[in-house]
């Protein structure tokens, strides 16, 4: 990192400070404001529009150009060629694996796919109609109560075992959350399957009927996992980092990430987008619905992004996958899909959306694909969480391994009451 240039800040009382400017390998320069507190002032940047919270070597996004790289590799190439576990290795270790490294990595993940049997009983404490994301937050958080042998975050071996456990067990827990919800028995993982095949098997097989994964559909889900694997310092990743900065164990940190992901402005958008399509119901109602959006009665879910002010590169890949899956399943004339395409066209051509740079994002298309795969709407954000787990772990690992890592502690601009004296209740 280069730190030769400076930015000079002068306050209205004449005091001034030189702040170092830092360049990364790609992307805009940043102004290091560490020294500001010496002047007795803070910066104010709610919602982090102009603030980098850390340095990271994992993921790069250029929102204006519509670029997304994992460890330098463009997402379009990663979505096309490697499988999900190869991408996981890349995110976790910084480099693509050799054939031997990949074999070893896949073996490790595969060996950890089963969960402690006692954990299966944990599910009985939930109502059957609980949202699967509520179950995920609880059960993933509970993993720390089952695997205490790997909780020393300062021990790299412990961190590695926890990473394998999380990566391997998330699909198992996600499939269990689904089975519990629909009242079917849990299906144990089968090690002959790939990571994604195994997840589909645990979701769709029953003790009465086997499930044979369709390679085209497996590839579609593989792409969804790859496209969602990391996305630099988004809300859930920042939550994982902040929770982890206090020294909390990785299972607790990932559970906090799942909780942050759940909201409709973040990972919950795929579920919200599908619900929106169902609510619109028919192509004839699209214009009326879009008018409601322009009147700011509600938002078009699956559209817009804080960073991408151009087409989300993940959305372009997912759009292609969407067509492939619908063709494979003979669903090209599906009513909801036609409606989605009509909405997409309006949003791409209407000045309201063009002026605000509101393009369809990845969740708009992934919702349609997941529905076509037979995955119920309330599982969409769970699928996102399964894919994002590797990103959360990579970012958590990067932070813990940092020299001089400190607890994250934002400050505030206080706007409450000034000092006042307590008044007894009978005098109020
Ligand atoms: N529909 C209609 N108008 C919108 C939308 C939308 N989806 N998103 C933003 N706007 C408008 C907003 O009303 C505002 O208009 P104006 O300037 O007239 O007040 C303008 O665009 C800027 O909006 P903002 O709220 O300042 O933008 P933001 O960067 O804070 O919000 C967002 C980003 C993703 C939360 C927002 O676009 C949104 O709510 N989208 C719908 C939810 C969604 O699809 N989220 C998934 C994001 S991709 C998956 C992920 O990474 O989690």
């Amino acid at each position: 990192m280069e730190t030769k240039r400076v930015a000079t800040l002068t306050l209205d009382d004449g005091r001034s400070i030189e702040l170092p400017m830092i360049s990364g390998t790609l992307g805009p320069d940043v102004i290091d404001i560490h020294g500001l507190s010496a002047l007795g002032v803070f910066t104010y940047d709610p919602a982090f529009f102009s603030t980098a919270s850390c340095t990271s070597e994992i993921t790069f996004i250029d929102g204006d150009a519509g670029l997304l790289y994992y460890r330098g590799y463009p997402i379009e190439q990663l979505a096309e060629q490697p499988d999900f576990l190869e991408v996981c290795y890349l995110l976790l270790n910084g480099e693509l694996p050799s054939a031997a490294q990949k074999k070893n990595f896949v073996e490790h993940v595969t060996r950890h796919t089963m969960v402690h049997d006692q954990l299966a009983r944990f599910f009985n404490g939930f109502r059957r109609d609980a949202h699967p994301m509520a179950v995920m937050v609880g059960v993933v958080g509970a993993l720390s109560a089952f695997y205490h042998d790997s909780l020393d975050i300062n021990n790299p071996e412990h961190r590695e075992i926890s990473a394998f456990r999380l990566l391997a067990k998330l699909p198992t827990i996600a499939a269990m959350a689904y089975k519990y919800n629909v009242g079917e028995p849990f299906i144990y993982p089968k090690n002959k399957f790939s990571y994604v095949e195994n997840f589909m098997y645990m979701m769709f097989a029953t003790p009465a009927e086997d499930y044979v994964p369709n390679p085209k559909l497996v590839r579609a889900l593989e792409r969804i996992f790859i496209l969602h694997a990391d996305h630099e310092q988004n809300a859930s990743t920042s939550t994982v980092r902040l929770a982890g900065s206090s020294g909390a164990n990785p299972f607790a940190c990932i559970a906090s990430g799942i909780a942050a992901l759940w909201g409709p402005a973040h990972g919950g958008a795929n579920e919200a987008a599908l619900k929106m399509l169902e609510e619109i119901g028919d192509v004839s109602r699209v214009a009326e619905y879009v008018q409601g959006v322009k009147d700011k009665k509600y938002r078009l879910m699956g559209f817009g992004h804080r960073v991408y002010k151009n087409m989300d590169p993940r959305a372009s890949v997912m759009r292609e996958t969407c067509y492939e899956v619908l063709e494979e399943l003979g669903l090209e004339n599906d009513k909801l899909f036609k409606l989605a395409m009509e909405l997409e066209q309006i949003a791409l051509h209407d000045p309201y959306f063009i002026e605000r740079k509101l393009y369809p994002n990845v969740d708009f298309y992934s919702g349609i694909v997941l529905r076509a795969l037979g995955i119920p709407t309330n599982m969409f954000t769970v699928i996102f969480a399964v894919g994002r787990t590797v990103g959360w772990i990579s970012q958590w690992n990067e932070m813990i391994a940092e020299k001089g890592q400190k607890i994250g502690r934002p400050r505030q601009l206080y706007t409450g009451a000034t000092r006042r004296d307590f008044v007894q209740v009978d005098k109020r």
Side-chain angles (χ1 to χ4, degrees):
M1 287 188 299
E2 191 206 331
T3 56
K4 285 183 202 119
R5 291 176 310 135
V6 293
T8 307
L9 178 77
T10 307
L11 303 186
D12 55 1
D13 62 7
R15 287 182 302 154
S16 130
I17 187 167
E18 285 196 340
L19 302 165
M21 292 197 56
I22 311 177
S23 303
T25 46
L26 289 171
D29 295 341
V30 300
I31 301 168
D32 178 351
I33 56 165
H34 259 88
L36 257 190
S37 56
L39 290 183
V41 292
F42 300 128
T43 53
Y44 175 59
D45 184 22
F48 297 99
F49 274 89
S50 307
T51 298
S53 60
C54 61
T55 61
S56 181
E57 297 179 356
I58 302 173
T59 293
F60 173 73
I61 303 175
D62 181 333
D64 294 323
L67 303 177
L68 169 62
Y69 302 161
Y70 292 166
R71 302 283 190 183
Y73 296 100
I75 194 66
E76 294 82 359
Q77 292 181 22
L78 296 175
E80 210 51 60
Q81 294 166 33
D83 60 28
F84 178 61
L85 284 187
E86 217 167 327
V87 173
C88 290
Y89 185 99
L90 172 69
L91 285 168
L92 286 165
N93 299 292
E95 296 298 333
L96 288 166
S98 66
Q101 285 168 330
K102 185 178 169 188
K103 186 168 174 284
N104 186 38
F105 184 75
V106 172
E107 271 172 20
H108 263 82
V109 174
T110 307
R111 241 188 290 131
H112 283 289
T113 49
M114 291 221 301
V115 294
H116 193 292
D117 207 42
Q118 187 68 21
L119 195 80
R121 296 195 203 147
F122 204 84
F123 281 81
N124 292 332
F126 292 98
R127 282 170 57 135
R128 288 272 177 190
D129 61 355
H131 194 288
M133 280 299 276
V135 176
M136 292 298 288
V137 173
V139 176
V140 173
L143 287 176
S144 48
F146 287 87
Y147 302 103
H148 344 96
D149 58 337
S150 62
L151 296 185
D152 178 1
I153 60 160
N154 297 314
N155 182 333
E157 277 175 25
H158 280 213
R159 296 208 298 268
E160 192 183 28
I161 299 169
S162 292
F164 278 124
R165 285 180 168 152
L166 278 159
L167 201 54
K169 293 183 202 305
L170 254 285
T172 312
I173 295 170
M176 288 167 97
Y178 168 66
K179 290 295 195 189
Y180 187 73
N181 194 247
V182 293
E184 288 179 10
F186 297 144
I187 298 294
Y188 287 102
K190 254 200 175 46
N191 289 354
K192 68 172 183 181
F193 287 132
S194 75
Y195 189 85
V196 180
E197 284 172 343
N198 194 30
F199 176 61
M200 291 178 93
Y201 166 76
M202 290 187 289
M203 285 279 295
F204 299 124
T206 68
E209 219 160 301
D210 211 359
Y211 175 79
V212 183
N214 169 333
K216 282 204 176 155
L217 305 188
V218 169
R219 188 62 201 148
L221 191 55
E222 189 117 38
R223 270 188 164 182
I224 289 184
F225 284 161
I226 292 172
L227 296 178
H228 286 88
D230 195 48
H231 213 225
E232 55 123 296
Q233 309 312 318
N234 54 83
S236 57
T237 302
S238 298
T239 303
V240 169
R241 277 189 178 254
L242 198 55
S245 75
S246 73
N249 74 69
F251 302 109
C253 294
I254 302 304
S256 74
I258 296 174
L261 185 75
W262 194 357
H266 191 10
N270 49 19
E271 179 176 347
L274 225 281
K275 281 191 177 147
M276 173 190 76
L277 292 178
E278 281 163 356
E279 192 188 319
I280 300 173
D282 193 80
V283 177
S284 62
R285 290 202 54 231
V286 169
E288 174 199 336
Y289 194 85
V290 169
Q291 191 52 50
V293 172
K294 293 189 203 173
D295 295 341
K296 297 200 188 287
K297 289 187 190 150
Y298 38 75
R299 287 190 169 201
L300 212 49
M301 300 314 288
F303 285 76
H305 198 276
R306 170 63 61 79
V307 183
Y308 294 120
K309 301 302 172 195
N310 198 323
M311 190 77 176
D312 175 344
R314 305 168 301 170
S316 310
V317 177
M318 209 32 15
R319 190 177 193 275
E320 230 177 72
T321 305
C322 194
Y323 280 98
E324 282 165 21
V325 166
L326 294 169
E327 192 189 331
E328 172 69 13
L329 297 171
L331 292 173
E332 302 99 316
N333 291 319
D334 178 66
K335 197 172 158 194
L336 231 50
F337 176 58
K338 289 209 146 162
L339 200 159
M341 293 306 105
E342 175 70 15
L343 208 54
E344 177 201 54
Q345 285 314 307
I346 292 187
L348 289 176
H349 296 104
D350 189 304
Y352 178 94
F353 298 95
I354 295 171
E355 279 160 19
R356 290 169 179 78
K357 301 186 176 166
L358 298 171
Y359 294 87
N361 58 50
V362 65
D363 288 333
F364 181 65
Y365 301 104
S366 65
I368 301 168
V369 174
L370 291 172
R371 176 174 172 270
L373 295 182
I375 294 173
T377 322
N378 64 2
M379 282 294 292
F380 288 7
T381 314
V382 174
I383 305 279
F384 190 157
V386 173
R388 182 56 56 86
T389 295
V390 67
W392 290 329
I393 306 168
S394 306
Q395 300 268 352
W396 174 82
N397 245 330
E398 182 177 63
M399 179 190 66
I400 298 293
E402 226 167 64
K403 241 176 133 190
Q405 180 265 322
K406 287 187 169 52
I407 186 168
R409 176 50 165 98
R411 299 304 302 263
Q412 63 171 11
L413 176 65
Y414 177 70
T415 55
T418 53
R419 188 197 179 283
R420 47 186 171 164
D421 289 323
F422 179 79
V423 180
Q424 292 293 346
V425 69
D426 55 342
K427 305 239 166 55
R428 280 177 228 155

